[in-house]
Amino acid sequence: MSAVKTSASGGASSTGGSALIGRLVQIAILVAIDLFAAFLVINLARDGIWEFAIFLALVTLFVNVIQFRKELFPIRWISPALVLMGVMVIYPILYTVYVSLTNYSDGNFLTKTQVINQVSRERFLPEGGAVFDYVAYRNEAGEFALLLTNSAGEAFFARVGAPLEAVKPDAEGKFADTIDGFTVLPRSERFSALATLSALSFGPEDQPLQISSGKARALQPRFIYDSAKDSFTDRLDGKVYFADDTIGFFVNVADYEAALAADPNTRISSFYLATPTFAQGAGYRVLVGANNFTRFFTSPAIRGPLLQIFTWTVTFALVSVFSTFALGLLIALLLQADTPAKRVFRTLLIVPYAIPALIAVSTWRGMLNPNMGVIGSTLSDILGYQIPVFSDATWAKVAILLINLWLGYPYFMLVCSGALAAIPSDMYEAAQVDGANTLQQFRFLTLPLLLVSVGPLLIASFTFNFNNFVIIEAFNKGLPPILDTPTAAGQTDILISYAFRLAFGSGRGADFGLASAITIVIFAIVAGITMLQFRFTRQWEETSKNV
Amino acid sequence: MLRKVLGLVTLVAVVLGTFGSAFAQSELVIWADDTRAPVLEELGKQFEAEFGVAVKVQQLGFGDIRDQFKTAAPAGEGPDIIIGAHDWLGELTQSGLLEPLVLDEAFLANFAPAALQGFTFNSTLYGLPYATENVAFLYNPELVETTPATWDEVFALSQMLVKEGKSKYGFVRQEGDPYHFFPIQTAFGGYVFGFDEDGNYNPEDLGVDSEGSIAALTWWENFVKAGLQPQAVDYDVMHNLFEAGDAAMIVTGPWALDRIRKSGVPYVVSPTFPEGAEGVAGKPFLGVQGFMVSSFSKNKELAVAFLTEFVASEDIEVTIKVGDKEMMGYPMYLLGLSRPSAYLPALQANEDPDFVAYGLAGTEALPMPAIPQMGAVWSSWGNAVTAVTQGTETAADAFTKAAEQIRTQLAGN
Amino acid sequence: MSSMSLAQNSKRKRGEGNYAQQKLFWKVVRVLVLTFFVFFALFPAVWVLSASFNPSQSMSSQTLIPRNVTSVDQLLVNYRVLFETPRYPFFRWVLNSVIVASITSVLTVMITALSAYSFSRFRFFGRQGLMLFILLVQVFPNLLAMVAIFLMLQQIGQYLPFLGLNTQGGLILVYVGGGMGINIWLMKGFFDSVPRDIDESAQVDGATHWQTYWLLIFPLVRPILIVVGILSFVGTFNEFVLARVLLRDINSWTLMVGLWGFVSDNFGQNWGIFAAGSVIGALPTLLVYLFFQDQIVGGLTQGAVKG
């Protein structure tokens, strides 16, 4: 009795010591994390990247709070995962939600500031404006000057902020290599000096010359930005362009109204109109509310093949999950039993997992080709007719499911092997004592226990296949085609491949706003299905407690 | 205690934070695909040795260049120069990502007018072309004597070859690819988009379901029905058939010359296309490849100078090693080796008869539309050709339905 | 009733004599079935292997033994392109991939095991909700997340260059963050199957949660740690969609980004080279698996469970 007590108290005291050390280590790590985060947040905030700065600050705050609240102890264990997921998964999701509410697409990629800068930078050569060929000179102080010549045979020497000085060539028509302490720039430095040179203005300040496209030109800014009115004035024709923040363009109101009068369907909110004559500069990103969602739900696309595609997507995902799981489990069971050469089998059977999906699908595609492929041509020789793997919807679907089975079963074989090994062998002994046969053991012991750990993977595999863009694209790009629909679609298209064709191949260029909206709709569908499955998972959890 | 620690943390972070700024360098970053990157890398080395400006070539897949440029350029992570195709212009200029090029007439006179036209959008030049590409009609001279004059002759010849057992197939097409179908479509008077008075593509005039287009597809439908086109032919299968001598005639581009030559099959690149029923020769699409300068480049002047005074100049001859071969020449000549060059002196210097033939086949070529509406056309158009090839639709139905799909999409919000 | 007991009786009687025979029969069946599956698994794989020795770069016309090959030189042409093209630092790519995949999988295992332990052993407010949340976040279709991740790494990289674009640090961070959710679930299910008596008896002895976790449970669940590790290794090793956006310099590419370059061109697809690279790329995965396979199927350490 006393011996036990001693050991217990000894254990307690050593625990107390290590607890203190543990606490110190914990604080040290926390300080390091805070330092790191504060550094990032301050920098991000300084550069005006507020969204990310605030998000990071919140994440850091969360990490600190859980360290000092005792009842949040279990969360501490989860916090590394949560933080990483927060930054790498949740932030991108929030970003996608944000993009879905904007007009982010071809034609509207830039921010308003970027567009203002770009338009302000635009310059023009006024009537009679000078254009010169130039040779660059530099003095010992590193200042630059230009020797200018034009087609009229005149020559000038131009410094920064000083009037032009006429110079004359020598008898052979050559100019001096050194003028007023400036030496001609050696050939080897001609290009490296360009960055500096092109930023300078030479000659008098009211009519500066700038280097542009290999010449010195007396360029003038073409647009004057008025920040109070948020508008540009074109100095060439005096037209005024006001920022229209509902569509993200600088628009000339009179022209816009004229265009609208001519065609009431006129829009510039999308890329559709290649040359909006009433707008100036590129478009910029603005919030457009639920516009993208409305567009998706009211577009002809939704009345088109969506139901057919949705059915196939669910079928594809379900069949893929169950076929890969069944085969993977079967192989794992066979390998668990008393079988010779297990190691060899196990190694050979994992091989498909080690081969990149892209080449695997291409190989299958080649093998199934009815003319030249080894499987396709052999089958057509045996059957006497060619199986239309690429032109018949049903056969194409069968082929895709077969390929996906090949690609996917090793994953479940691996997982099931691990999970089977984890089932304590005394449970089987107990079951055998109770007189259960092999099938009963599997049905009432192995499967329920297995589903506890593998169940969530079935859900994950379902969602993975639901969005398995790669195999569909690589096999046949969603073909064979469906033509009786308002939009281009294929018989083997799944929701995500169809959606991306809508967002990126519909004649408006890449439409990230629409694509994000569609992504969120798909997410809602998949999340709904997952929640449903989650209820089963909870049942599995209960089951495992009872075992 | 805790407050003190956190206060210190903030202080240190502020101090560290002030060190975050990057500084600009004299360096050019170029994005190129795997065929151009090796040449550009060598050119870059030469340029750096000569002028002390580093040229960094980053290799991306051809399509990736365009897609990633859209994200990277506005974020300040983009390249100074990209290599790309002229039909990207619509989307890239519309988004304000490309810098207009103002170049001398005399300098531009060295370039093929059609190529420059390709890189002109809204009357502004946005790219410096280096190569053009178009498909041509190829045949195996052991099976076919000369280019058939009409597509009906191609049909008859194919039937004869198969009947006489000279080859497994006659003319073979890539199943659904509309790009390779275009020379047939135009031969029968079909088109995709018509032109307006200024000679620009007119998105209002869609020609996918025009009489000529349907006539072309009907010809193809009959060809398929006659059992002359094998199933499931993609680019790879088509070439394998041709290279094995199993197919006598194909339509393909200069990018395939390498593999055809390696296979050792006898071939002739025809400088003309067969004519359609109305006596019109088929016209392929013309694609132009070139350099474009990013409007977000911090070294635009340098980028332009690199292109005009180094790449497109005949001052410096460079030596490059591609694979085992060592080649010497002016940069533009080296860039135009696997396609007809857009730089006239290089085009004239290239005596390779195949490239000459490709150039001739492309003299009447129509530039691939750079207007954004083209994006709505490709899938529907291709699907229609595929459906007819697979025998699931008639020609008239397929093109009518495809045109409906395209119109719906173009009218959509 | 009686017939059933009769049947059982006779079965038992006959079973005594035939037991060994029956066992052998099932053994043979198992081997035959497995052999069939091996055929299914290896047939395309052998085709990939054969493509890697085929100079024709085509995936559809191949024969098992490459045609028109007259010399060893031709046979190895794809491998030579990989090994000997000075522009392509092939072994660097392999090394990059191995580094990224190894670090990712170790970090993933460490971090997910911590979370899984907490979910399995503690009962706290919001536990179910949090688990559901982790699962839901995981099912978000992230084809579009690339743009966000690109911008984020670019922003981080301005201040912490070792985690920015074009760095393996940044890529690892993205992989670890993205691959966590489902592995937490997998491990949690596994932790659940470890009897709680083990923890409880340890805690009666005065061990802290950390000691219980680190010294007892962690070693006990080694098989699933290895499974998760391998899953994460292979997943990372074969990923190229994100990597090709985030890695720009040819020297920092991973193997899959490099190989993608050979087939991303519409017309010049070099499938033979891709195949050769895939064959070599498959080796690390197979080696990892070979090395760990006994551990996976080894099960829980028997003594510990019973103790």
Side-chain angles (χ1 to χ4, degrees):
Chain A
M1 191 64 190
S2 76
V4 173
K5 207 175 176 184
T6 321
S7 95
S9 70
S13 77
S14 79
T15 312
S18 67
L20 183 64
I21 294 170
R23 191 75 184 149
L24 284 176
V25 169
Q26 198 185 336
I27 289 184
I29 293 175
L30 190 64
V31 167
I33 290 174
D34 285 350
L35 253 174
F36 189 75
F39 170 74
L40 264 181
V41 169
I42 288 165
N43 272 301
L44 286 166
R46 189 195 58 191
D47 290 355
I49 308 168
W50 288 104
E51 318 84 60
F52 193 37
I54 292 171
F55 186 81
L56 266 185
L58 287 176
V59 169
T60 318
L61 187 70
F62 163 79
V63 171
N64 282 283
V65 166
I66 57 167
Q67 298 305 325
F68 295 104
R69 302 288 298 212
K70 215 165 189 138
E71 70 273 18
L72 293 178
F73 174 73
I75 306 281
R76 271 180 228 166
W77 295 71
I78 309 169
S79 61
L82 286 180
V83 169
L84 274 169
M85 278 176 74
V87 178
M88 292 303 160
V89 182
I90 296 171
Y91 183 74
I93 290 179
L94 293 178
Y95 185 83
T96 307
V97 173
Y98 160 73
V99 170
S100 76
L101 302 175
T102 68
N103 62 348
Y104 191 75
S105 61
D106 270 342
N108 293 76
F109 272 132
L110 309 183
T111 63
K112 191 172 177 181
T113 321
Q114 281 175 322
V115 171
I116 292 173
N117 284 340
Q118 213 168 53
V119 176
S120 305
R121 241 181 32 223
E122 205 167 309
R123 290 175 294 181
F124 75 109
L125 193 67
E127 202 128 336
V131 178
F132 294 101
D133 286 323
Y134 74 87
V135 177
Y137 282 65
R138 188 176 55 191
N139 68 9
E140 283 184 0
E143 292 168 326
F144 286 96
L146 303 180
L147 176 71
L148 307 170
T149 49
N150 64 11
S151 45
E154 299 165 308
F156 301 96
F157 195 65
R159 300 169 209 238
V160 176
L164 303 184
E165 303 157 32
V167 284
K168 288 225 153 50
D170 60 18
E172 289 168 25
K174 282 188 178 159
F175 291 95
D177 281 349
T178 307
I179 303 175
D180 279 353
F182 286 89
T183 321
V184 70
L185 205 62
R187 193 181 115 89
S188 62
E189 288 176 39
R190 217 172 88 210
F191 290 98
S192 50
L194 270 177
T196 321
L197 273 177
S198 59
L200 296 172
S201 294
F202 296 90
E205 268 165 32
D206 54 333
Q207 284 223 316
L209 288 159
Q210 281 159 335
I211 290 180
S212 163
S213 294
K215 307 233 168 177
R217 300 168 205 259
L219 296 171
Q220 296 280 326
R222 181 174 158 190
F223 295 96
I224 307 298
Y225 179 64
D226 180 342
S227 58
K229 289 184 188 152
D230 202 7
S231 69
F232 280 110
T233 308
D234 187 344
R235 287 175 63 194
L236 284 179
D237 57 12
K239 278 188 183 173
V240 182
Y241 297 86
F242 287 96
D244 186 338
D245 287 347
T246 57
I247 53 174
F249 273 97
F250 280 92
V251 168
N252 180 281
V253 180
D255 286 355
Y256 188 26
E257 277 167 3
L260 273 176
D263 177 4
N265 284 325
T266 299
R267 293 170 289 264
I268 52 173
S269 55
S270 77
F271 190 52
Y272 176 52
L273 279 173
T275 48
T277 46
F278 38 80
Q280 194 52 249
Y284 53 90
R285 294 201 299 256
V286 288
L287 286 168
V288 293
N291 208 359
N292 290 314
F293 293 92
T294 330
R295 261 171 66 204
F296 178 55
F297 284 116
T298 56
S299 74
I302 201 97
R303 298 191 296 275
L306 211 62
L307 189 68
Q308 184 184 349
I309 287 175
F310 181 72
T311 315
W312 160 238
T313 310
V314 173
T315 317
F316 165 72
L318 279 179
V319 175
S320 294
V321 172
F322 285 109
S323 62
T324 50
F325 174 62
L327 184 58
L329 177 58
L330 176 63
I331 292 178
L333 284 169
L334 290 172
L335 287 174
Q336 204 197 18
D338 172 32
T339 308
K342 269 196 225 181
R343 289 180 63 94
V344 178
F345 278 124
R346 219 182 279 137
T347 311
L348 292 179
L349 284 165
I350 203 76
V351 165
Y353 197 44
I355 294 174
L358 201 61
I359 193 164
V361 178
S362 303
T363 308
W364 273 101
R365 200 183 132 78
M367 293 196 310
L368 290 174
N369 188 289
N371 297 299
M372 328 196 68
V374 56
I375 299 179
S377 62
T378 313
L379 278 180
S380 32
D381 286 349
I382 295 172
L383 300 173
Y385 93 109
Q386 296 189 337
I387 296 179
V389 184
F390 296 96
S391 51
D392 181 85
T394 315
W395 281 108
K397 287 174 181 177
V398 169
I400 287 176
L401 288 171
L402 177 79
I403 296 173
N404 215 20
L405 172 64
W406 187 85
L407 285 170
Y409 84 86
Y411 176 83
F412 279 110
M413 169 186 144
L414 196 62
V415 172
C416 290
S417 297
L420 285 176
I423 300 174
S425 52
D426 40 3
M427 287 193 175
Y428 286 106
E429 283 158 24
Q432 264 165 356
V433 170
D434 290 346
N437 66 26
T438 316
L439 211 62
Q440 285 168 330
Q441 276 180 36
F442 174 75
R443 170 75 185 78
F444 296 108
L445 181 69
T446 316
L447 199 60
L449 273 175
L450 198 69
L451 282 180
V452 177
S453 48
V454 181
L457 290 193
L458 295 176
I459 299 179
S461 168
F462 176 83
T463 58
F464 171 78
N465 281 309
F466 200 94
N467 296 318
N468 197 339
F469 187 70
V470 171
I471 186 173
I472 300 295
E473 277 299 297
F475 182 68
N476 205 8
K477 297 194 167 58
L479 297 178
I482 317 175
L483 280 184
D484 300 305
T485 56
T487 46
Q491 304 271 9
T492 58
D493 260 329
I494 56 174
L495 214 47
I496 199 128
S497 61
Y498 174 66
F500 274 76
R501 204 157 303 133
L502 266 187
F504 295 104
S506 56
R508 289 179 293 269
D511 192 337
F512 286 98
L514 181 63
S516 300
I518 298 175
T519 309
I520 288 166
V521 172
I522 293 180
F523 174 59
I525 296 170
V526 184
I529 298 173
T530 309
M531 302 262 269
L532 220 69
Q533 290 163 319
F534 185 68
R535 289 173 50 190
F536 291 107
T537 322
R538 279 167 76 172
Q539 282 173 4
W540 291 330
E541 200 173 23
E542 316 274 281
T543 321
S544 81
K545 264 184 236 150
N546 298 334
V547 173
Chain B
M1 165 69 188
L2 187 68
R3 215 175 286 166
K4 269 186 189 167
V5 171
L6 289 181
L8 192 71
V9 166
T10 320
L11 186 73
V12 174
V14 172
V15 173
L16 285 175
T18 49
F19 287 100
S21 57
F23 54 94
Q25 290 169 295
S26 236
E27 180 193 67
L28 279 180
V29 178
I30 304 178
W31 282 7
D33 65 326
D34 61 330
T35 51
R36 306 295 142 193
V39 182
L40 283 170
E41 259 167 31
E42 292 296 326
L43 292 182
K45 275 181 209 158
Q46 203 101 15
F47 189 71
E48 184 171 6
E50 202 93 22
F51 300 108
V53 176
V55 178
K56 213 160 125 192
V57 179
Q58 295 178 332
Q59 183 181 320
L60 286 85
F62 195 66
D64 288 345
I65 293 179
R66 172 185 49 184
D67 297 343
Q68 297 193 21
F69 182 62
K70 289 178 184 171
T71 324
E77 285 289 326
D80 299 292
I81 297 173
I82 58 171
I83 264 192
H86 80 277
D87 56 319
W88 301 356
L89 279 190
E91 45 195 296
L92 294 185
T93 56
Q94 203 58 33
S95 307
L97 300 178
L98 294 184
E99 189 69 12
L101 300 180
V102 183
L103 301 174
D104 267 0
E105 300 274 321
F107 173 78
L108 292 177
N110 285 325
F111 292 85
L116 288 176
Q117 189 55 42
F119 269 109
T120 306
F121 195 75
N122 288 345
S123 318
T124 310
L125 184 71
Y126 283 100
L128 191 67
Y130 64 78
T132 60
E133 58 183 31
N134 54 267
V135 293
F137 186 87
L138 272 72
Y139 61 87
N140 182 334
E142 286 179 358
L143 304 166
V144 178
E145 278 170 31
T146 174
T147 315
T150 66
W151 285 105
D152 285 336
E153 259 180 57
V154 172
F155 196 146
L157 197 61
S158 300
Q159 268 177 324
M160 202 189 75
L161 283 168
V162 175
K163 204 191 259 171
E164 292 177 3
K166 279 194 184 160
S167 70
K168 230 166 138 184
Y169 304 102
F171 174 64
V172 168
R173 270 200 71 246
Q174 229 173 305
E175 193 164 82
D177 188 75
Y179 175 80
H180 290 79
F181 185 71
F182 193 65
I184 305 180
Q185 198 162 332
T186 46
F188 286 86
Y191 61 99
V192 174
F193 282 121
F195 293 94
D196 61 16
E197 314 90 69
D198 304 332
N200 296 318
Y201 278 110
N202 176 10
E204 307 280 308
D205 181 10
L206 181 72
V208 168
D209 55 349
S210 68
E211 213 178 299
S213 298
I214 291 177
L217 196 59
T218 307
W219 174 85
W220 177 241
E221 186 187 357
N222 293 331
F223 188 88
V224 173
K225 276 195 186 146
L228 296 170
Q229 163 84 4
Q231 247 201 54
V233 176
D234 56 14
Y235 172 81
D236 196 30
V237 173
M238 173 181 84
H239 272 283
N240 286 326
L241 288 172
F242 185 75
E243 284 150 22
D246 287 339
M249 297 166 273
I250 58 171
V251 169
T252 195
W255 46 82
L257 277 178
D258 229 20
R259 63 176 287 174
I260 296 177
R261 284 174 180 170
K262 256 188 218 160
S263 76
V265 75
Y267 70 95
V268 173
V269 181
S270 167
T272 57
F273 278 98
E275 290 176 354
E278 293 171 32
V280 193
K283 295 175 187 147
F285 270 139
L286 183 77
V288 189
Q289 297 188 339
F291 298 94
M292 294 170 247
V293 176
S294 164
S295 66
F296 284 89
S297 161
K298 294 185 183 84
N299 280 315
K300 285 184 207 118
E301 196 56 30
L302 176 60
V304 173
F306 172 76
L307 295 179
T308 55
E309 296 176 44
F310 181 72
V311 175
S313 86
E314 298 194 9
D315 288 342
I316 300 162
E317 258 192 307
V318 291
T319 308
I320 59 165
K321 227 183 131 184
V322 180
D324 296 335
K325 270 189 279 180
E326 203 163 89
M327 287 177 292
M328 196 172 130
Y330 301 121
M332 268 296 183
Y333 291 67
L334 297 173
L335 280 164
L337 279 181
S338 56
R339 305 273 197 283
S341 178
Y343 185 64
L344 294 171
L347 183 67
Q348 282 142 16
N350 194 339
E351 284 165 0
D352 186 322
D354 292 339
F355 284 107
V356 174
Y358 263 110
L360 288 172
T363 40
E364 291 280 294
L366 299 170
M368 196 132 73
I371 51 173
Q373 283 81 357
M374 198 58 199
V377 172
W378 289 115
S379 340
S380 297
W381 183 24
N383 280 356
V385 181
T386 306
V388 167
T389 312
Q390 297 179 343
T392 52
E393 293 275 352
T394 65
D397 275 0
F399 265 171
T400 312
K401 284 175 184 171
E404 251 168 59
Q405 286 184 346
I406 298 166
R407 290 205 178 92
T408 312
Q409 266 189 17
L410 290 183
N413 191 4
Chain C
M1 265 300 263
S2 67
S3 70
M4 198 178 134
S5 65
L6 199 73
Q8 271 179 350
N9 262 341
S10 68
K11 193 179 166 190
R12 196 168 297 152
K13 265 185 203 161
R14 262 194 287 136
E16 309 254 314
N18 291 344
Y19 186 65
Q21 236 180 329
Q22 216 174 7
K23 226 176 142 186
L24 185 71
F25 170 74
W26 284 114
K27 221 177 190 175
V28 171
V29 169
R30 278 198 294 270
V31 169
L32 285 180
V33 172
L34 282 173
T35 311
F36 172 76
F37 289 144
V38 165
F39 185 73
F40 174 64
L42 288 193
F43 193 66
V46 168
W47 233 248
V48 174
L49 187 69
S50 137
S52 78
F53 290 110
N54 194 328
S56 86
Q57 305 302 340
S58 149
M59 289 308 280
S60 49
S61 72
Q62 287 189 61
T63 43
L64 189 56
I65 312 296
R67 272 178 302 199
N68 304 329
V69 172
T70 47
S71 66
V72 180
D73 226 31
Q74 268 181 306
L75 211 58
L76 296 179
V77 75
N78 294 320
Y79 289 91
R80 283 189 49 195
V81 170
L82 284 181
F83 298 163
E84 291 171 15
T85 309
R87 287 193 63 243
Y88 297 130
F90 179 73
F91 292 103
R92 179 80 184 265
W93 295 344
V94 176
L95 188 70
N96 288 344
S97 282
V98 170
I99 291 174
V100 170
S102 309
I103 297 180
T104 302
S105 64
V106 169
L107 284 178
T108 304
V109 166
M110 289 298 180
I111 296 173
T112 49
L114 272 180
S115 309
Y117 179 74
S118 176
F119 279 126
S120 171
R121 289 308 195 253
F122 304 129
R123 290 291 174 270
F124 52 92
F125 174 74
R127 174 176 161 278
Q128 287 279 357
L130 198 56
M131 288 199 66
L132 180 60
F133 176 73
I134 287 177
L135 192 66
L136 284 185
V137 156
Q138 198 71 28
V139 305
F140 193 85
N142 56 0
L143 259 165
L144 272 180
M146 252 163 7
V147 180
I149 291 175
F150 176 88
L151 293 175
M152 194 168 55
L153 281 198
Q154 187 250 336
Q155 288 161 2
I156 295 178
Q158 287 179 342
Y159 319 113
L160 302 168
F162 61 99
L163 290 180
L165 288 174
N166 221 347
T167 64
Q168 289 164 6
L171 191 64
I172 289 172
L173 214 59
V174 173
Y175 285 153
V176 175
M180 212 117 55
I182 198 56
N183 288 327
I184 293 180
W185 272 81
L186 175 61
M187 276 210 202
K188 184 236 160 215
F190 213 97
F191 278 102
D192 282 348
S193 65
V194 175
R196 271 170 183 257
D197 321 354
I198 299 178
D199 310 37
E200 278 157 18
S201 62
Q203 268 147 24
V204 168
D205 288 347
T208 61
H209 276 297
W210 177 253
Q211 287 166 331
T212 319
Y213 166 74
W214 187 243
L215 300 174
L216 273 174
I217 309 292
F218 196 77
L220 201 60
V221 294
R222 206 167 44 212
I224 206 66
L225 299 180
I226 288 166
V227 168
V228 169
I230 291 182
L231 293 179
S232 156
F233 184 92
V234 177
T236 311
F237 198 90
N238 287 337
E239 203 285 335
F240 71 94
V241 176
L242 275 170
R244 81 175 205 270
V245 177
L246 301 179
L247 301 176
R248 280 284 146 65
D249 277 340
I250 207 163
N251 280 317
S252 68
W253 283 1
T254 57
L255 178 62
M256 282 306 135
V257 178
L259 293 184
W260 166 249
F262 291 108
V263 289
S264 59
D265 191 355
N266 256 337
F267 297 113
Q269 294 176 337
N270 302 300
W271 282 110
I273 302 174
F274 192 107
S278 303
V279 168
I280 296 176
L283 293 181
T285 306
L286 290 179
L287 283 178
V288 167
Y289 181 73
L290 265 180
F291 188 74
F292 284 116
Q293 66 164 325
D294 289 336
Q295 309 257 349
I296 296 170
V297 293
L300 302 181
T301 316
Q302 293 300 329
V305 176
K306 282 176 183 149

